[in-house]
Each structure stands twice: as C-alpha cells, then as structure tokens.
C-alpha cells in the first residue's frame, strides 16, 4: 500500500469523452463528529512510511495463492514494525491514553482485560490509572516482549500477560470489570477481531461492566479518482504493449487501503452501520445497509470510500476519533472500492444502492463485500452489482 498520487480535484461540469476532472468546486461540509482528545497538542506531522516491495519473495505467486490472512495473522503481529506503526499513530494511541488518564474513576481498583494487548501499551495505561489488576492477552510472540516491557516498567504486580487465544486461555479470575481493546481493522471489520472481543465480553464481563470503546460506526462516500484508478487499475490493459487485463479483474476485486484527499469527495457522507459493542451479537457484524449518496457538485465518480469512527461514551465527556478523509490521518487510512463504471453525476443527483458485508466463509478474518448501485441521472444511467474481498 503506497501513498496515492492524488488527481484532479474539485468540481467540474462533466462532458462526454472527458476522462478526468478539474476545477474549483467547493468540498461538502463535514458532518458533525466527536472531537479527538488531544490535550498535549500531538498534532505534529509524522513522516509517513511506505512499504517497499524490493524484498518481496519472488516465488510468491501473484494470483491463486492459498495463503490467506488466517495463516499469517498472528505471526504478522510478532514483528515489532507493525506495533511501531500503531504506537506512532497518535490519533489512535493518544485517544486511548486520554480516555484512560482523564477517566481514572472508571479504572480505579477495577479488574481489566486487555484483548489483543500487543506491546501492552493499553495495559500500562490502565495500570498507571489505578487498575487493581490487568490481564493482557496476546496470541503472537509479542506476548514475550510485553512481559519484558511490563517488568521493565515495574508493573509485574499489576499486569499479568497471558499468551494465547482469548477463546482458549484460562483467565485466573471468573470475571472482569472492564474490557479494553484496539480491535478495529481496515474497513473496521477486516481481521474479524471484533468477534473475539464479543466472546470475551460474554464470558467474563460483569453485569453493567464496561467495554472500551463501546460504539463503532461505518460510513460511505463517493470520490473522483481518475488519475489513481488509471495508475492502479487501467494500467493492466496495456503493459509494455501486452494485454494483462486478467490481472485488472483481480485488482478490481480487492479494495485499496489508502489515504484519500478530502477534495476528491463528490457526495455527502452516509452512515451505514452503528455497532454498540456492549450489546451487539456476533452475527451483527454481518449486515446489508442501504445508501443514498447525493452529489454536491458536478463531477465524475470512480470509487466509493468507506471509513469508520469509534466512540468512548462512558467517559466524563464523550471521546473518540474518525478515520475519515476530513480527519487527521491514521494508520487505518480509508478503504477504496473502485467501480467498473465511470459515473457522470450532476449536483443533486443521487447514487443509490446497498452494501453487504460478511466474513468470508473459508477464512473468517477476510471480509466479503457486495456492492449494488444505480444512478439514473441526466448524463448517466447505470445499474450494477460488484463483489470485493479484503484479504
């Protein structure tokens, strides 16, 4: 996943035969969101790092590999690099820190379960906030490092690191007062760690116990993205004079995780699904949600973009963060679903349809997405169903 190059931004008056857009149309107003707690002023710009493919295994097949995210999920979290990226995501880490430090009344003398503890940073925050005891569960080899980190910081008497799957470990206590976890994946649900949190909630959380965060919401919008679609998708039509469009079909099936410029947004942003983690059932992570995206300027639509917000509602003051294009960037970025059609849309016209989401049956850590959309506009009439798979 690299940085996107951007493209021609702003509003235009589309005309036939035009393949890109330009102009100075104003961006739509951002919907009201909760503020990111940031009392220490952590709005510094961090250097974004992109992964190099120079060391990729040349023997790894491009298409048809049987290896899925279930095979390498836990091993991938054994490497320090992914934890460095998450810890340096100040939107993510500082929000959790502020929720804990500014609401010590929630944690004082309470037993806490940290699901997917990683380096143990959330457990350390909880211990420092006065938790009676914290059980940090981590399945990857990072659990060994977490134990050393806990010892090095003098919290061995408060934090117990348990190595193993939440579904398989034996917790030394019968119940806990708080479950805290940073379970969110790309597109909110990729890697399916939410089900693990719900399992822990049902097994160990006391009545009236707290899950942090407790609210997660998935949103959808539409963007103009001619240049990047040309670079990532249409590229396969002619590769040094050869037709490789069979790979284009594969590229269209896989959503792109990348940072979207807010000026690319053409329509309103619509809420698809809100999940109350303290009350929802495991099956609620599979859903079909209708949408109606209304164009706020004349432009082209090349892709739909999904992002999510999370909220901590049990605090003195409701706190949370957004991963949307108009918010400070996070390591989750946004999820881009490229359309087979290039839609010409005029201001006030609506792209309508539905988005269906469910875990892949073969590998529940992957996500299957079915998008149905139609536009009956002045310059464009289309109806199509597309399928995607995040893996």
């Amino acid at each position: 996943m690299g940085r996107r190059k951007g493209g021609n931004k702003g509003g235009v008056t589309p005309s036939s035969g035009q393949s890109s857009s330009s102009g100075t149309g104003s961006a739509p107003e951002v919907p009201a969101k909760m503020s990111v707690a940031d009392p220490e002023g952590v709005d510094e710009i961090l250097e974004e790092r992109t992964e190099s493919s120079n060391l990729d295994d040349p023997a790894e097949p491009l298409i048809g590999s049987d290896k899925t995210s279930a095979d390498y999920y836990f091993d991938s979290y054994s490497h320090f690099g992914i934890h460095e990226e998450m810890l340096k995501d100040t939107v993510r880490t500082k929000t959790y820190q502020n929720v804990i430090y500014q609401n010590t009344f929630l944690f004082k003398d309470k037993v806490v379960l940290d699901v997917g503890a990683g380096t143990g940073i959330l457990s350390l925050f909880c211990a420092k906030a006065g938790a009676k005891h914290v059980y940090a569960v981590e399945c990857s080899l990072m659990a060994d490092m977490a134990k050393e980190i806990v010892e090095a910081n003098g919290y061995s008497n408060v934090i117990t690191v348990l190595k193993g799957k939440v579904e398989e470990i034996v917790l030394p206590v019968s119940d806990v007062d708080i479950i805290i976890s940073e379970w969110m994946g790309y597109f909110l649900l990729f890697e399916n760690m939410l089900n693990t949190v719900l399992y822990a909630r049902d097994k160990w959380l006391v009545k009236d116990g707290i899950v942090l965060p407790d609210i997660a919401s998935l949103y959808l919008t539409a963007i103009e993205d001619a240049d990047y679609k040309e670079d990532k998708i249409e590229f396969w039509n002619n590769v040094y004079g050869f037709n490789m469009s069979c790979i284009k079909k594969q590229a269209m099936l896989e959503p792109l995780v990348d940072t979207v410029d807010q000026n690319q947004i053409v329509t309103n942003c619509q809420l698809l699904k809100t999940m109350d983690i303290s009350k929802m059932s495991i099956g609620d992570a599979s859903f079909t949600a209708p949408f109606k995206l209304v164009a706020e300027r004349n432009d082209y639509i090349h892709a739909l973009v999904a992002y999510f917000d999370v909220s901590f509602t049990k605090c003195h003051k409701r706190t949370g963060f957004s991963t949307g294009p108009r918010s400070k960037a996070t390591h989750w970025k946004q999820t881009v679903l490229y359309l087979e059609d290039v839609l010409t849309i005029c201001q006030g016209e609506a792209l309508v349809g539905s988005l269906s989401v469910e875990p892949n049956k073969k590998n529940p850590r992957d996500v299957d997405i079915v998008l149905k959309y139609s536009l009956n506009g002045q310059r464009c009439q289309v109806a199509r169903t597309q399928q995607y798979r995040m893996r």
Side-chain angles (χ1 to χ4, degrees):
M1 306 169 229
R3 286 183 57 82
R4 69 176 49 246
K5 296 176 181 177
N8 300 309
K9 311 297 183 239
V12 299
T13 301
S15 60
S16 59
Q18 212 169 346
S19 62
S20 62
S21 58
S22 61
T24 58
S26 59
E29 292 295 320
V30 60
K33 305 287 182 196
M34 59 292 217
S35 62
V36 176
D38 188 20
E40 297 184 24
V42 289
D43 287 335
E44 70 274 15
I45 300 175
L46 297 178
E47 178 184 356
E48 287 196 31
R49 302 176 185 273
T50 55
E51 297 176 359
S52 170
S53 61
N54 294 342
L55 299 180
D56 286 351
D57 183 1
E60 184 74 17
L62 177 64
I63 296 176
S65 171
D66 290 331
K67 189 174 184 180
T68 66
S69 61
D71 300 311
Y72 59 76
Y73 174 68
F74 291 116
D75 282 346
S76 70
Y77 282 91
S78 297
H79 192 272
F80 71 88
I82 193 169
H83 296 280
E84 177 185 1
E85 180 184 25
M86 291 187 293
L87 290 169
K88 287 182 175 178
D89 182 343
T90 55
V91 173
R92 164 198 181 269
T93 310
K94 289 295 295 184
T95 299
Y96 275 89
Q97 184 186 50
N98 292 333
V99 163
I100 296 167
Y101 286 0
Q102 295 174 8
N103 297 274
T104 55
F105 73 97
L106 293 176
F107 297 89
K108 183 67 174 174
D109 299 326
K110 297 296 176 61
V111 177
V112 181
L113 175 61
D114 181 358
V115 176
T119 60
I121 186 64
L122 301 187
S123 296
L124 292 166
F125 290 159
C126 293
K128 191 172 180 179
K132 179 180 179 181
H133 204 91
V134 183
Y135 294 97
V137 182
E138 173 59 38
C139 191
S140 77
L141 295 176
M142 188 55 64
D144 298 325
M145 294 290 98
K147 289 180 181 179
E148 289 192 31
I149 292 168
V150 168
E151 292 173 3
N153 288 276
Y155 283 104
S156 297
N157 61 328
V158 180
I159 301 173
T160 300
V161 178
L162 301 171
K163 186 176 181 181
K165 295 181 180 179
V166 166
E167 294 84 353
E168 298 174 359
I169 63 164
V170 176
L171 207 60
V173 293
S174 59
D175 50 48
V176 299
D177 302 299
I178 298 173
I179 292 177
I180 193 166
S181 180
E182 192 276 84
W183 55 267
M184 299 79 71
Y186 299 129
F187 189 68
L188 183 61
L189 296 170
F190 181 58
E191 294 180 342
N192 200 26
M193 191 176 161
L194 174 58
N195 281 357
T196 299
V197 174
L198 299 180
Y199 175 91
R201 179 202 66 186
D202 293 342
K203 186 169 184 177
W204 291 299
L205 190 64
V206 299
K207 184 180 179 181
D208 299 325
I210 297 173
V211 181
L212 297 172
D214 56 330
I215 300 292
S217 300
L218 187 67
Y219 291 84
L220 192 69
T221 189
I223 62 168
E224 177 280 322
D225 204 22
D227 289 354
Y228 208 67
K229 185 181 180 186
E230 182 71 25
D231 182 57
K232 298 297 291 186
I233 305 296
E234 305 304 332
F235 163 79
W236 298 107
N237 291 330
N238 187 338
V239 182
Y240 298 98
F242 297 97
N243 182 346
M244 297 189 181
S245 57
C246 57
I247 297 179
K248 173 182 173 180
K249 295 177 182 178
Q250 174 101 359
M252 287 290 294
L253 285 171
E254 297 188 15
L256 177 71
V257 176
D258 208 344
T259 302
V260 173
D261 189 318
Q262 63 175 323
N263 293 322
Q264 294 176 264
I265 298 174
V266 176
T267 69
N268 63 308
C269 303
Q270 180 169 336
L271 173 66
L272 287 178
K273 176 77 171 179
T274 294
M275 291 177 285
D276 185 336
I277 316 305
S278 62
K279 299 177 182 178
M280 68 180 288
S281 301
I282 287 179
D284 294 342
S286 299
F287 61 89
T288 298
F291 64 82
K292 180 179 181 181
L293 301 176
V294 180
E296 299 189 341
R297 63 174 185 248
N298 297 345
D299 211 330
Y300 299 95
I301 293 176
H302 298 90
L304 300 188
V305 174
Y307 63 93
F308 64 88
D309 297 352
V310 295
S311 300
F312 302 77
T313 69
K314 306 302 181 182
C315 306
H316 279 305
K317 180 180 179 182
R318 179 172 176 144
T319 306
F321 60 83
S322 174
T323 64
R326 292 192 175 93
S327 301
K328 184 176 177 180
T330 71
H331 77 280
W332 287 286
K333 303 179 183 179
Q334 292 89 41
T335 301
V336 183
L337 308 172
Y338 282 110
L339 305 180
E340 292 185 24
D341 309 284
V342 176
L343 308 182
T344 305
I345 196 166
C346 299
Q347 184 175 4
E349 293 179 348
L351 177 66
V352 298
S354 65
L355 195 73
S356 299
V357 179
E358 66 176 356
N360 179 262
K361 290 180 173 59
K362 181 179 178 182
N363 176 14
R365 294 199 181 278
D366 294 350
V367 179
D368 290 339
I369 303 168
V370 178
L371 170 65
K372 296 181 180 181
Y373 63 89
S374 64
L375 173 63
N376 186 18
Q378 189 177 358
R379 296 173 180 264
C380 181
Q381 296 83 40
V382 65
R384 189 182 295 276
T385 299
Q386 288 186 230
Q387 297 183 357
Y388 306 86
R389 181 177 173 186
M390 294 198 73
R391 58 179 180 174

